[in-house]
Amino acid sequence: MAELVYPPIVFATKTAFRLLDLKLDVRGAENIPATGGAVIACNHVSYLDFMFCGFGAQPAKRLVRFMAKRQIFDNRIAGPLMRGMHHISVDRAAGAQSYQAALDALRAGEIVGVFPEATISRSFTVKEIKSGAVRMAAEAGVPLIPMALWGTQRLWTKGRKRDLLQRHVPVTILTGEPTRPGPDDDVDKLTGELRTTMAGLLDTIQRDYPDQPASEAERWWLPAHLGGSAPTPQAAAEADRRAPE
């Protein structure tokens, strides 16, 4: 597969990270396989998470093919870039086709990135997740790798004005140990276990995070259970019901 678009995008992204002096802390990269297919299942707190999830695979020199909603591919600017990087369009009206495209990529030895929560978590905790990541890993016979991100919400998240030029922001990327679901395994059980693992990874990096809000007004980027003013999971779920993405 020709890679004419993805490497320059990675280079430009790394340059931007350096110019902004983002404090990137990448942990657990040894859990990303150097070759072969795999599914990365990552939490979702920011519109920029795909960039940082992909960055987490860079120590293994892997490019991640993300599953993203069709509307991004329809954008006249983002669309050609997404197709050039061989990401996978998700059309909810043609879900089987998107799923098959992801399976084909996995069987061809690609890493596929999935955000199982489907939409950004307003509470900055792990919401209920969909079973697609587990099902794909089991059907393709590849490892399932949990990942958690923290700090990206400070740059651009749902309901907040984006601040893409903010400097010196710490961002933590933690990759957990892979599992290998089998075709006869209980998908619902494994999906619940995946959510628990993702939540544990996220809690670890939230509690280890080297920065704290500088004022009461900035406590919005902390979850409620850590003393922040982000909505509770219950309030966030209600907000999602009122204004689905």
Side-chain angles (χ1 to χ4, degrees):
M1 184 186 299
E3 297 293 353
L4 302 179
V5 177
Y6 214 148
I9 293 292
V10 170
F11 177 80
T13 300
K14 289 181 176 179
T15 300
F17 290 169
R18 286 194 296 269
L19 291 174
L20 293 172
D21 191 30
L22 299 184
K23 307 300 184 182
L24 295 167
D25 180 7
V26 180
R27 309 181 197 173
E30 68 276 6
N31 291 316
I32 305 289
T35 60
V39 177
I40 291 179
C42 189
N43 73 307
H44 203 7
V45 294
S46 165
Y47 292 110
L48 305 176
D49 286 340
F50 68 97
M51 298 169 58
F52 292 92
C53 177
F55 190 84
Q58 280 294 293
K61 297 181 171 57
R62 301 301 302 272
L63 298 175
V64 181
R65 316 299 175 180
F66 286 98
M67 301 189 74
K69 59 185 180 182
R70 179 184 57 80
Q71 289 88 333
I72 300 175
F73 288 79
D74 291 341
N75 183 279
R76 64 184 181 86
I77 297 174
L81 295 176
M82 296 291 284
R83 287 186 287 274
M85 289 185 280
H86 307 293
H87 294 314
I88 300 165
S89 175
V90 177
D91 185 347
R92 290 177 181 173
Q97 183 177 345
S98 303
Y99 182 81
Q100 187 60 50
L103 284 179
D104 291 344
L106 291 168
R107 289 167 176 158
E110 301 286 351
I111 293 184
V112 172
V114 178
F115 296 102
E117 296 166 279
T119 59
I120 289 172
S121 171
R122 301 173 193 259
S123 67
F124 305 140
T125 61
V126 178
K127 303 193 296 184
E128 294 298 322
I129 67 174
K130 298 183 181 299
S131 63
V134 171
R135 290 189 292 110
M136 285 191 298
E139 191 166 345
V142 300
L144 175 63
I145 304 170
M147 181 181 283
L149 307 175
W150 188 242
T152 59
Q153 78 285 2
R154 297 175 63 182
L155 301 172
W156 189 15
T157 193
K158 186 182 293 186
R160 305 289 308 189
K161 184 178 179 181
R162 62 179 176 265
D163 190 0
L164 302 181
L165 298 181
Q166 189 176 174
R167 292 173 56 79
H168 317 304
V169 174
V171 173
T172 309
I173 305 164
L174 175 58
T175 303
E177 295 184 1
T179 59
R180 189 178 283 269
D184 298 324
D185 289 337
D186 185 327
V187 170
D188 291 338
K189 179 175 181 290
L190 292 183
T191 299
E193 291 174 355
L194 173 61
R195 179 174 181 262
T196 297
T197 298
M198 291 171 61
L201 293 174
L202 178 58
D203 187 65
T204 294
I205 57 179
Q206 285 174 334
R207 294 181 186 277
D208 289 349
Y209 194 64
D211 211 354
Q212 288 292 321
S215 66
E216 188 64 29
E218 289 191 9
R219 298 192 73 79
W220 65 266
W221 56 259
L222 272 183
H225 72 277
L226 292 180
S229 58
T232 64
Q234 296 78 12
E238 180 57 32
D240 285 341
R241 282 192 288 271
R242 292 197 304 267
E245 190 173 74

